[in-house]
Amino acid sequence: MLALGIDPGTAICGYGVVEMKGSVMKPVFYGSILTDKDWRPEERLLKIHQDVSDIIGHFQPEFMSIEKLYFNRNVNTAIPVAQARGVVLLAAAEHNLPILEFTPMQIKKSVTGTGGAEKNQIIFMVRRLLGIREEINPDDTADALAAAICGLNQARVLQLQAKGGARIGEILEKQRNPLSKR
């Protein structure tokens, strides 16, 4: 099973393609899409959309795992993140890619065992779970890999609950549209 994890942002949009065979996960491709602060907002969003679309087209993941929008106090940062998230979701829709969404707490808990994990704990566990020896920079890349890990864990549970060895795309489509014949 192949998952694309995304940590959306306009300055830095983390991505991680992770493969799961049995219970073993390994990183396939990961990094961050960087945009220049001097670019117009529409240029930044276009770059994010194009790059995510290219990743989806090249690797053909079975689903995308993305962090739900969460903001505490600062609406000024929430709006650009929501815009980046929107173009990422658009890229997924253009490729008919199913989406799993998780809160930051769900992702942290899936990777570290606790929803209140600190950034360094997430990075440590992502490296350990995926066998990555080098540092993961920026943090957004580790967050995207964590989202992919969380999605793979959830997808595995959904597949075990489904009858007949259904693929994750079929399971998610039935959840989204219970009348679907696919």
Side-chain angles (χ1 to χ4, degrees), residues 1 3 20 25 63-65 99-102 106 110 146-162 168 171-172 175:
M1 189 172 359
M20 178 184 252
M25 289 184 250
F63 66 92
M64 175 188 289
S65 182
I99 297 167
L100 289 172
E101 298 178 272
F102 302 98
Q106 288 173 309
S110 179
I149 292 167
C150 181
L152 286 165
N153 288 334
Q154 180 64 30
R156 186 175 168 115
V157 169
L158 290 171
Q159 282 185 320
L160 291 172
Q161 292 172 344
I168 190 64
I171 295 167
L172 295 175
Q175 285 182 347

PDB file of all heavy atoms in Angstrom, residues 1 3 20 25 63-65 99-102 106 110 146-162 168 171-172 175:
ATOM      1  N   MET A   1       0.857  -1.157   0.000  1.00  0.00           N
ATOM      2  CA  MET A   1       0.000   0.000   0.000  1.00  0.00           C
ATOM      3  C   MET A   1       0.911   1.229   0.000  1.00  0.00           C
ATOM      4  O   MET A   1       1.903   1.275   0.711  1.00  0.00           O
ATOM      5  CB  MET A   1      -0.886  -0.046   1.255  1.00  0.00           C
ATOM      6  CG  MET A   1      -1.965   0.960   1.281  1.00  0.00           C
ATOM      7  SD  MET A   1      -3.196   0.811   2.632  1.00  0.00           S
ATOM      8  CE  MET A   1      -2.743  -0.600   3.584  1.00  0.00           C
ATOM      9  N   ALA A   3       1.049   5.463   0.325  1.00  0.00           N
ATOM     10  CA  ALA A   3       0.335   6.648   0.806  1.00  0.00           C
ATOM     11  C   ALA A   3       1.162   7.894   0.574  1.00  0.00           C
ATOM     12  O   ALA A   3       2.395   7.868   0.683  1.00  0.00           O
ATOM     13  CB  ALA A   3       0.021   6.513   2.292  1.00  0.00           C
ATOM     14  N   MET A  20       3.813   0.620   2.554  1.00  0.00           N
ATOM     15  CA  MET A  20       3.651  -0.373   3.614  1.00  0.00           C
ATOM     16  C   MET A  20       3.463  -1.745   2.962  1.00  0.00           C
ATOM     17  O   MET A  20       2.594  -1.929   2.113  1.00  0.00           O
ATOM     18  CB  MET A  20       2.431  -0.061   4.485  1.00  0.00           C
ATOM     19  CG  MET A  20       2.182  -1.090   5.581  1.00  0.00           C
ATOM     20  SD  MET A  20       0.661  -0.734   6.489  1.00  0.00           S
ATOM     21  CE  MET A  20       1.346  -0.167   8.025  1.00  0.00           C
ATOM     22  N   MET A  25       6.991  -0.410   7.035  1.00  0.00           N
ATOM     23  CA  MET A  25       6.873   0.826   6.257  1.00  0.00           C
ATOM     24  C   MET A  25       8.253   1.299   5.844  1.00  0.00           C
ATOM     25  O   MET A  25       9.216   1.157   6.597  1.00  0.00           O
ATOM     26  CB  MET A  25       6.192   1.908   7.096  1.00  0.00           C
ATOM     27  CG  MET A  25       4.732   1.668   7.319  1.00  0.00           C
ATOM     28  SD  MET A  25       3.980   3.041   8.203  1.00  0.00           S
ATOM     29  CE  MET A  25       3.655   2.252   9.769  1.00  0.00           C
ATOM     30  N   PHE A  63      -3.847   6.581  -1.698  1.00  0.00           N
ATOM     31  CA  PHE A  63      -4.614   7.613  -1.022  1.00  0.00           C
ATOM     32  C   PHE A  63      -3.679   8.699  -0.516  1.00  0.00           C
ATOM     33  O   PHE A  63      -2.469   8.520  -0.473  1.00  0.00           O
ATOM     34  CB  PHE A  63      -5.442   7.031   0.147  1.00  0.00           C
ATOM     35  CG  PHE A  63      -4.614   6.489   1.272  1.00  0.00           C
ATOM     36  CD1 PHE A  63      -4.261   7.293   2.346  1.00  0.00           C
ATOM     37  CD2 PHE A  63      -4.193   5.172   1.268  1.00  0.00           C
ATOM     38  CE1 PHE A  63      -3.487   6.797   3.384  1.00  0.00           C
ATOM     39  CE2 PHE A  63      -3.422   4.666   2.298  1.00  0.00           C
ATOM     40  CZ  PHE A  63      -3.064   5.477   3.367  1.00  0.00           C
ATOM     41  N   MET A  64      -4.294   9.823  -0.155  1.00  0.00           N
ATOM     42  CA  MET A  64      -3.563  10.927   0.452  1.00  0.00           C
ATOM     43  C   MET A  64      -3.998  11.048   1.905  1.00  0.00           C
ATOM     44  O   MET A  64      -5.182  10.942   2.218  1.00  0.00           O
ATOM     45  CB  MET A  64      -3.864  12.246  -0.270  1.00  0.00           C
ATOM     46  CG  MET A  64      -3.217  13.468   0.381  1.00  0.00           C
ATOM     47  SD  MET A  64      -3.776  15.033  -0.338  1.00  0.00           S
ATOM     48  CE  MET A  64      -2.990  14.947  -1.931  1.00  0.00           C
ATOM     49  N   SER A  65      -3.044  11.292   2.760  1.00  0.00           N
ATOM     50  CA  SER A  65      -3.303  11.523   4.176  1.00  0.00           C
ATOM     51  C   SER A  65      -2.876  12.951   4.476  1.00  0.00           C
ATOM     52  O   SER A  65      -1.732  13.314   4.227  1.00  0.00           O
ATOM     53  CB  SER A  65      -2.486  10.518   4.995  1.00  0.00           C
ATOM     54  OG  SER A  65      -2.730  10.658   6.355  1.00  0.00           O
ATOM     55  N   ILE A  99      -8.913  10.582   0.056  1.00  0.00           N
ATOM     56  CA  ILE A  99      -8.252  11.377   1.085  1.00  0.00           C
ATOM     57  C   ILE A  99      -8.676  10.913   2.466  1.00  0.00           C
ATOM     58  O   ILE A  99      -9.862  10.697   2.721  1.00  0.00           O
ATOM     59  CB  ILE A  99      -8.609  12.874   0.924  1.00  0.00           C
ATOM     60  CG1 ILE A  99      -8.087  13.383  -0.415  1.00  0.00           C
ATOM     61  CG2 ILE A  99      -8.055  13.702   2.070  1.00  0.00           C
ATOM     62  CD1 ILE A  99      -8.629  14.723  -0.812  1.00  0.00           C
ATOM     63  N   LEU A 100      -7.693  10.757   3.341  1.00  0.00           N
ATOM     64  CA  LEU A 100      -7.935  10.532   4.761  1.00  0.00           C
ATOM     65  C   LEU A 100      -7.460  11.782   5.484  1.00  0.00           C
ATOM     66  O   LEU A 100      -6.356  12.270   5.219  1.00  0.00           O
ATOM     67  CB  LEU A 100      -7.151   9.316   5.273  1.00  0.00           C
ATOM     68  CG  LEU A 100      -7.635   7.954   4.811  1.00  0.00           C
ATOM     69  CD1 LEU A 100      -6.639   6.868   5.235  1.00  0.00           C
ATOM     70  CD2 LEU A 100      -9.003   7.650   5.382  1.00  0.00           C
ATOM     71  N   GLU A 101      -8.271  12.307   6.389  1.00  0.00           N
ATOM     72  CA  GLU A 101      -7.930  13.517   7.121  1.00  0.00           C
ATOM     73  C   GLU A 101      -7.804  13.206   8.608  1.00  0.00           C
ATOM     74  O   GLU A 101      -8.606  12.450   9.155  1.00  0.00           O
ATOM     75  CB  GLU A 101      -9.001  14.584   6.932  1.00  0.00           C
ATOM     76  CG  GLU A 101      -9.180  15.023   5.495  1.00  0.00           C
ATOM     77  CD  GLU A 101     -10.280  16.041   5.360  1.00  0.00           C
ATOM     78  OE1 GLU A 101     -11.443  15.632   5.189  1.00  0.00           O
ATOM     79  OE2 GLU A 101      -9.964  17.242   5.440  1.00  0.00           O
ATOM     80  N   PHE A 102      -6.805  13.821   9.232  1.00  0.00           N
ATOM     81  CA  PHE A 102      -6.544  13.588  10.646  1.00  0.00           C
ATOM     82  C   PHE A 102      -6.221  14.893  11.352  1.00  0.00           C
ATOM     83  O   PHE A 102      -5.605  15.780  10.777  1.00  0.00           O
ATOM     84  CB  PHE A 102      -5.358  12.620  10.826  1.00  0.00           C
ATOM     85  CG  PHE A 102      -5.557  11.299  10.152  1.00  0.00           C
ATOM     86  CD1 PHE A 102      -5.009  11.051   8.905  1.00  0.00           C
ATOM     87  CD2 PHE A 102      -6.313  10.320  10.758  1.00  0.00           C
ATOM     88  CE1 PHE A 102      -5.207   9.842   8.277  1.00  0.00           C
ATOM     89  CE2 PHE A 102      -6.512   9.095  10.139  1.00  0.00           C
ATOM     90  CZ  PHE A 102      -5.959   8.856   8.891  1.00  0.00           C
ATOM     91  N   GLN A 106      -4.346  13.275  16.371  1.00  0.00           N
ATOM     92  CA  GLN A 106      -4.449  11.901  15.867  1.00  0.00           C
ATOM     93  C   GLN A 106      -3.136  11.455  15.225  1.00  0.00           C
ATOM     94  O   GLN A 106      -2.700  10.316  15.411  1.00  0.00           O
ATOM     95  CB  GLN A 106      -5.582  11.789  14.843  1.00  0.00           C
ATOM     96  CG  GLN A 106      -6.965  11.862  15.430  1.00  0.00           C
ATOM     97  CD  GLN A 106      -8.034  11.923  14.351  1.00  0.00           C
ATOM     98  OE1 GLN A 106      -7.961  12.746  13.424  1.00  0.00           O
ATOM     99  NE2 GLN A 106      -9.020  11.053  14.457  1.00  0.00           N
ATOM    100  N   SER A 110      -0.744   8.445  16.612  1.00  0.00           N
ATOM    101  CA  SER A 110      -0.449   7.301  15.752  1.00  0.00           C
ATOM    102  C   SER A 110       1.045   7.024  15.655  1.00  0.00           C
ATOM    103  O   SER A 110       1.465   5.878  15.598  1.00  0.00           O
ATOM    104  CB  SER A 110      -1.023   7.552  14.356  1.00  0.00           C
ATOM    105  OG  SER A 110      -0.732   6.490  13.492  1.00  0.00           O
ATOM    106  N   ALA A 146       4.751  11.702   8.975  1.00  0.00           N
ATOM    107  CA  ALA A 146       3.904  11.261  10.096  1.00  0.00           C
ATOM    108  C   ALA A 146       2.453  11.117   9.642  1.00  0.00           C
ATOM    109  O   ALA A 146       1.767  10.167  10.026  1.00  0.00           O
ATOM    110  CB  ALA A 146       4.018  12.231  11.271  1.00  0.00           C
ATOM    111  N   ALA A 147       1.988  12.048   8.812  1.00  0.00           N
ATOM    112  CA  ALA A 147       0.620  11.958   8.281  1.00  0.00           C
ATOM    113  C   ALA A 147       0.457  10.705   7.432  1.00  0.00           C
ATOM    114  O   ALA A 147      -0.565  10.013   7.512  1.00  0.00           O
ATOM    115  CB  ALA A 147       0.275  13.203   7.472  1.00  0.00           C
ATOM    116  N   ALA A 148       1.466  10.392   6.626  1.00  0.00           N
ATOM    117  CA  ALA A 148       1.409   9.174   5.805  1.00  0.00           C
ATOM    118  C   ALA A 148       1.379   7.927   6.684  1.00  0.00           C
ATOM    119  O   ALA A 148       0.609   6.987   6.423  1.00  0.00           O
ATOM    120  CB  ALA A 148       2.599   9.127   4.844  1.00  0.00           C
ATOM    121  N   ILE A 149       2.198   7.898   7.722  1.00  0.00           N
ATOM    122  CA  ILE A 149       2.217   6.761   8.647  1.00  0.00           C
ATOM    123  C   ILE A 149       0.852   6.598   9.302  1.00  0.00           C
ATOM    124  O   ILE A 149       0.306   5.487   9.373  1.00  0.00           O
ATOM    125  CB  ILE A 149       3.318   6.939   9.719  1.00  0.00           C
ATOM    126  CG1 ILE A 149       4.705   6.845   9.077  1.00  0.00           C
ATOM    127  CG2 ILE A 149       3.168   5.911  10.848  1.00  0.00           C
ATOM    128  CD1 ILE A 149       5.843   7.314   9.974  1.00  0.00           C
ATOM    129  N   CYS A 150       0.285   7.687   9.780  1.00  0.00           N
ATOM    130  CA  CYS A 150      -1.035   7.663  10.403  1.00  0.00           C
ATOM    131  C   CYS A 150      -2.072   7.120   9.419  1.00  0.00           C
ATOM    132  O   CYS A 150      -2.894   6.267   9.765  1.00  0.00           O
ATOM    133  CB  CYS A 150      -1.414   9.062  10.878  1.00  0.00           C
ATOM    134  SG  CYS A 150      -3.010   9.173  11.691  1.00  0.00           S
ATOM    135  N   GLY A 151      -2.031   7.605   8.184  1.00  0.00           N
ATOM    136  CA  GLY A 151      -2.964   7.141   7.161  1.00  0.00           C
ATOM    137  C   GLY A 151      -2.808   5.661   6.855  1.00  0.00           C
ATOM    138  O   GLY A 151      -3.799   4.949   6.697  1.00  0.00           O
ATOM    139  N   LEU A 152      -1.575   5.195   6.779  1.00  0.00           N
ATOM    140  CA  LEU A 152      -1.339   3.768   6.515  1.00  0.00           C
ATOM    141  C   LEU A 152      -1.867   2.909   7.662  1.00  0.00           C
ATOM    142  O   LEU A 152      -2.458   1.847   7.429  1.00  0.00           O
ATOM    143  CB  LEU A 152       0.146   3.505   6.277  1.00  0.00           C
ATOM    144  CG  LEU A 152       0.672   3.978   4.923  1.00  0.00           C
ATOM    145  CD1 LEU A 152       2.188   4.019   4.916  1.00  0.00           C
ATOM    146  CD2 LEU A 152       0.132   3.102   3.798  1.00  0.00           C
ATOM    147  N   ASN A 153      -1.649   3.366   8.888  1.00  0.00           N
ATOM    148  CA  ASN A 153      -2.183   2.622  10.033  1.00  0.00           C
ATOM    149  C   ASN A 153      -3.706   2.552   9.973  1.00  0.00           C
ATOM    150  O   ASN A 153      -4.300   1.493  10.196  1.00  0.00           O
ATOM    151  CB  ASN A 153      -1.727   3.257  11.347  1.00  0.00           C
ATOM    152  CG  ASN A 153      -0.257   3.033  11.626  1.00  0.00           C
ATOM    153  OD1 ASN A 153       0.343   2.067  11.158  1.00  0.00           O
ATOM    154  ND2 ASN A 153       0.345   3.929  12.379  1.00  0.00           N
ATOM    155  N   GLN A 154      -4.350   3.668   9.667  1.00  0.00           N
ATOM    156  CA  GLN A 154      -5.808   3.698   9.582  1.00  0.00           C
ATOM    157  C   GLN A 154      -6.310   2.870   8.395  1.00  0.00           C
ATOM    158  O   GLN A 154      -7.294   2.147   8.515  1.00  0.00           O
ATOM    159  CB  GLN A 154      -6.302   5.142   9.457  1.00  0.00           C
ATOM    160  CG  GLN A 154      -7.809   5.266   9.362  1.00  0.00           C
ATOM    161  CD  GLN A 154      -8.515   4.794  10.628  1.00  0.00           C
ATOM    162  OE1 GLN A 154      -7.978   4.891  11.729  1.00  0.00           O
ATOM    163  NE2 GLN A 154      -9.714   4.275  10.467  1.00  0.00           N
ATOM    164  N   ALA A 155      -5.639   2.966   7.270  1.00  0.00           N
ATOM    165  CA  ALA A 155      -6.034   2.200   6.081  1.00  0.00           C
ATOM    166  C   ALA A 155      -5.950   0.703   6.347  1.00  0.00           C
ATOM    167  O   ALA A 155      -6.820  -0.069   5.918  1.00  0.00           O
ATOM    168  CB  ALA A 155      -5.157   2.575   4.891  1.00  0.00           C
ATOM    169  N   ARG A 156      -4.933   0.299   7.070  1.00  0.00           N
ATOM    170  CA  ARG A 156      -4.788  -1.126   7.399  1.00  0.00           C
ATOM    171  C   ARG A 156      -5.957  -1.593   8.260  1.00  0.00           C
ATOM    172  O   ARG A 156      -6.515  -2.672   8.046  1.00  0.00           O
ATOM    173  CB  ARG A 156      -3.465  -1.358   8.115  1.00  0.00           C
ATOM    174  CG  ARG A 156      -3.180  -2.811   8.363  1.00  0.00           C
ATOM    175  CD  ARG A 156      -1.797  -2.955   8.962  1.00  0.00           C
ATOM    176  NE  ARG A 156      -1.649  -4.291   9.459  1.00  0.00           N
ATOM    177  CZ  ARG A 156      -0.796  -5.161   8.968  1.00  0.00           C
ATOM    178  NH1 ARG A 156      -0.013  -4.830   7.979  1.00  0.00           N
ATOM    179  NH2 ARG A 156      -0.705  -6.364   9.477  1.00  0.00           N
ATOM    180  N   VAL A 157      -6.360  -0.778   9.239  1.00  0.00           N
ATOM    181  CA  VAL A 157      -7.513  -1.111  10.085  1.00  0.00           C
ATOM    182  C   VAL A 157      -8.773  -1.203   9.232  1.00  0.00           C
ATOM    183  O   VAL A 157      -9.562  -2.152   9.361  1.00  0.00           O
ATOM    184  CB  VAL A 157      -7.691  -0.073  11.217  1.00  0.00           C
ATOM    185  CG1 VAL A 157      -9.023  -0.240  11.925  1.00  0.00           C
ATOM    186  CG2 VAL A 157      -6.549  -0.169  12.211  1.00  0.00           C
ATOM    187  N   LEU A 158      -8.971  -0.234   8.344  1.00  0.00           N
ATOM    188  CA  LEU A 158     -10.157  -0.246   7.479  1.00  0.00           C
ATOM    189  C   LEU A 158     -10.185  -1.483   6.591  1.00  0.00           C
ATOM    190  O   LEU A 158     -11.243  -2.086   6.382  1.00  0.00           O
ATOM    191  CB  LEU A 158     -10.201   1.021   6.624  1.00  0.00           C
ATOM    192  CG  LEU A 158     -10.487   2.327   7.358  1.00  0.00           C
ATOM    193  CD1 LEU A 158     -10.289   3.518   6.426  1.00  0.00           C
ATOM    194  CD2 LEU A 158     -11.884   2.324   7.955  1.00  0.00           C
ATOM    195  N   GLN A 159      -9.035  -1.869   6.069  1.00  0.00           N
ATOM    196  CA  GLN A 159      -8.978  -3.064   5.222  1.00  0.00           C
ATOM    197  C   GLN A 159      -9.274  -4.326   6.022  1.00  0.00           C
ATOM    198  O   GLN A 159      -9.941  -5.233   5.529  1.00  0.00           O
ATOM    199  CB  GLN A 159      -7.619  -3.180   4.547  1.00  0.00           C
ATOM    200  CG  GLN A 159      -7.473  -2.252   3.377  1.00  0.00           C
ATOM    201  CD  GLN A 159      -6.165  -2.466   2.644  1.00  0.00           C
ATOM    202  OE1 GLN A 159      -5.127  -2.686   3.272  1.00  0.00           O
ATOM    203  NE2 GLN A 159      -6.211  -2.378   1.334  1.00  0.00           N
ATOM    204  N   LEU A 160      -8.775  -4.391   7.238  1.00  0.00           N
ATOM    205  CA  LEU A 160      -9.043  -5.565   8.067  1.00  0.00           C
ATOM    206  C   LEU A 160     -10.523  -5.661   8.425  1.00  0.00           C
ATOM    207  O   LEU A 160     -11.063  -6.764   8.557  1.00  0.00           O
ATOM    208  CB  LEU A 160      -8.190  -5.525   9.341  1.00  0.00           C
ATOM    209  CG  LEU A 160      -6.691  -5.718   9.142  1.00  0.00           C
ATOM    210  CD1 LEU A 160      -5.941  -5.464  10.443  1.00  0.00           C
ATOM    211  CD2 LEU A 160      -6.378  -7.109   8.606  1.00  0.00           C
ATOM    212  N   GLN A 161     -11.183  -4.512   8.550  1.00  0.00           N
ATOM    213  CA  GLN A 161     -12.608  -4.504   8.866  1.00  0.00           C
ATOM    214  C   GLN A 161     -13.475  -4.822   7.652  1.00  0.00           C
ATOM    215  O   GLN A 161     -14.582  -5.318   7.793  1.00  0.00           O
ATOM    216  CB  GLN A 161     -13.019  -3.137   9.431  1.00  0.00           C
ATOM    217  CG  GLN A 161     -12.443  -2.852  10.787  1.00  0.00           C
ATOM    218  CD  GLN A 161     -12.693  -1.424  11.238  1.00  0.00           C
ATOM    219  OE1 GLN A 161     -13.046  -0.559  10.440  1.00  0.00           O
ATOM    220  NE2 GLN A 161     -12.488  -1.175  12.526  1.00  0.00           N
ATOM    221  N   ALA A 162     -12.951  -4.531   6.457  1.00  0.00           N
ATOM    222  CA  ALA A 162     -13.717  -4.764   5.228  1.00  0.00           C
ATOM    223  C   ALA A 162     -13.685  -6.247   4.867  1.00  0.00           C
ATOM    224  O   ALA A 162     -12.770  -6.981   5.225  1.00  0.00           O
ATOM    225  CB  ALA A 162     -13.133  -3.937   4.089  1.00  0.00           C
ATOM    226  N   ILE A 168      -8.155   0.082  -0.485  1.00  0.00           N
ATOM    227  CA  ILE A 168      -8.487   1.230   0.356  1.00  0.00           C
ATOM    228  C   ILE A 168      -9.323   2.255  -0.406  1.00  0.00           C
ATOM    229  O   ILE A 168     -10.233   2.864   0.154  1.00  0.00           O
ATOM    230  CB  ILE A 168      -7.219   1.867   0.988  1.00  0.00           C
ATOM    231  CG1 ILE A 168      -7.605   2.904   2.036  1.00  0.00           C
ATOM    232  CG2 ILE A 168      -6.322   2.456  -0.069  1.00  0.00           C
ATOM    233  CD1 ILE A 168      -8.324   2.362   3.230  1.00  0.00           C
ATOM    234  N   ILE A 171     -12.903   1.164  -0.268  1.00  0.00           N
ATOM    235  CA  ILE A 171     -13.446   1.322   1.085  1.00  0.00           C
ATOM    236  C   ILE A 171     -13.800   2.787   1.338  1.00  0.00           C
ATOM    237  O   ILE A 171     -14.890   3.094   1.824  1.00  0.00           O
ATOM    238  CB  ILE A 171     -12.436   0.818   2.138  1.00  0.00           C
ATOM    239  CG1 ILE A 171     -12.227  -0.698   1.978  1.00  0.00           C
ATOM    240  CG2 ILE A 171     -12.898   1.157   3.546  1.00  0.00           C
ATOM    241  CD1 ILE A 171     -11.041  -1.240   2.743  1.00  0.00           C
ATOM    242  N   LEU A 172     -12.891   3.680   0.981  1.00  0.00           N
ATOM    243  CA  LEU A 172     -13.138   5.101   1.216  1.00  0.00           C
ATOM    244  C   LEU A 172     -14.280   5.615   0.351  1.00  0.00           C
ATOM    245  O   LEU A 172     -15.063   6.453   0.785  1.00  0.00           O
ATOM    246  CB  LEU A 172     -11.869   5.915   0.982  1.00  0.00           C
ATOM    247  CG  LEU A 172     -10.730   5.629   1.958  1.00  0.00           C
ATOM    248  CD1 LEU A 172      -9.483   6.390   1.556  1.00  0.00           C
ATOM    249  CD2 LEU A 172     -11.135   5.955   3.379  1.00  0.00           C
ATOM    250  N   GLN A 175     -17.475   4.651   1.993  1.00  0.00           N
ATOM    251  CA  GLN A 175     -17.738   5.490   3.166  1.00  0.00           C
ATOM    252  C   GLN A 175     -18.253   6.860   2.756  1.00  0.00           C
ATOM    253  O   GLN A 175     -19.144   7.412   3.369  1.00  0.00           O
ATOM    254  CB  GLN A 175     -16.471   5.656   4.006  1.00  0.00           C
ATOM    255  CG  GLN A 175     -16.112   4.452   4.802  1.00  0.00           C
ATOM    256  CD  GLN A 175     -14.884   4.698   5.656  1.00  0.00           C
ATOM    257  OE1 GLN A 175     -14.162   5.671   5.490  1.00  0.00           O
ATOM    258  NE2 GLN A 175     -14.641   3.790   6.584  1.00  0.00           N
TER     259      GLN A 175
END
